Amino acid sequence: MIIHTLGPEETDSSSAAYHYLKKRQTAGKIVLHDCFEDITHHLTDYRSDFLIMPAAYKSFRDHIDWADFHYSHLRGLRLVACFRHPLNPLVLVRRNGASNGIACTHPATTTLLRHYLGDTASDCEIRYADSKYLAYQMYRREKARYVITSLRIVRLDPDESIEQTWTPDMVWCVYEIL
């Protein structure tokens, strides 16, 4: 069994794929991609393989979510399983001395970010990354004001604080690529 999903290893998608194989007690290979579009735009290259994606899937490149993806691929994919597997705890980190209004996030967590920012959302430029891991890398590189990312990868500097924490469960969808 070959499973395609979002990488790198630090992503929740990678964790879910390993969990799925362990739960099934099945040998398999997990292929990690830089973004889901690297998989979804090349499905014919992966016939007979499998795809694991979260029900919270949202693409800032294709401007689609899981429902759009699911219905637009009814002929090329077969949903074979769904399972519940928690995300790593999510945190909103704030750089207290940031001189810009940049907020970095994965598209699926935009609602959490906008809810936190409230009325000040219009003062922020939201930049998207392909994973929460990459959102954190962008936040560090850009010296942004905010990021929503996985707690386990955060290394706080003295001028940073964790403003909010969430511990969501997630539904994962397993597709056979036809």
Side-chain angles (χ1 to χ4, degrees):
M1 170 180 257
I2 299 173
I3 298 174
H4 298 268
T5 197
L6 180 65
E9 288 281 334
E10 293 85 357
T11 64
D12 290 310
S13 296
S14 173
S15 173
Y18 283 106
H19 171 80
Y20 180 73
L21 283 177
K22 184 177 178 182
K23 182 177 157 187
R24 288 183 43 119
Q25 299 179 337
T26 303
K29 176 182 175 187
I30 297 171
V31 180
L32 300 175
H33 297 262
D34 291 336
C35 61
F36 273 112
E37 292 84 0
D38 284 351
I39 307 165
T40 60
H41 292 177
H42 300 95
L43 289 173
T44 57
D45 295 338
Y46 306 124
R47 284 196 174 113
S48 302
D49 292 354
F50 294 82
L51 163 65
I52 290 183
M53 74 172 19
Y57 170 72
K58 200 176 258 191
S59 170
F60 71 94
R61 285 189 176 86
D62 292 342
H63 307 289
I64 63 171
D65 60 15
W66 177 83
D68 297 330
F69 173 80
H70 178 78
Y71 288 121
S72 65
H73 289 89
L74 288 175
R75 293 178 189 213
L77 297 172
R78 183 170 62 95
L79 185 63
V80 295
C82 293
F83 63 98
R84 185 184 134 270
H85 184 67
L87 299 179
N88 289 297
L90 297 173
V91 291
L92 185 137
V93 177
R94 178 184 180 145
R95 186 182 317 276
N96 298 310
S99 60
N100 62 49
I102 298 171
C104 304
T105 192
H106 180 275
T109 57
T110 303
T111 298
L112 293 174
L113 180 62
R114 289 186 193 278
H115 184 352
Y116 172 81
L117 294 174
D119 293 336
T120 63
S122 61
D123 296 337
C124 282
E125 175 190 347
I126 298 176
R127 295 189 183 170
Y128 298 104
D130 290 307
S131 66
K132 291 182 291 295
Y133 173 81
L134 292 176
Y136 186 63
Q137 302 306 314
M138 182 190 308
Y139 163 83
R140 308 245 342 141
R141 185 177 59 252
E142 303 288 330
K143 299 196 181 313
R145 185 176 297 162
Y146 300 104
V147 65
I148 292 182
T149 193
S150 296
L151 174 62
R152 70 181 178 143
I153 64 171
V154 171
R155 302 291 176 259
L156 287 179
D157 288 337
D159 68 334
E160 296 174 314
S161 58
I162 293 176
E163 299 289 306
Q164 191 132 12
T165 303
W166 301 272
T167 53
D169 272 335
M170 183 53 58
V171 174
W172 297 88
C173 303
V174 182
Y175 289 99
E176 181 180 3
I177 303 168
L178 305 175

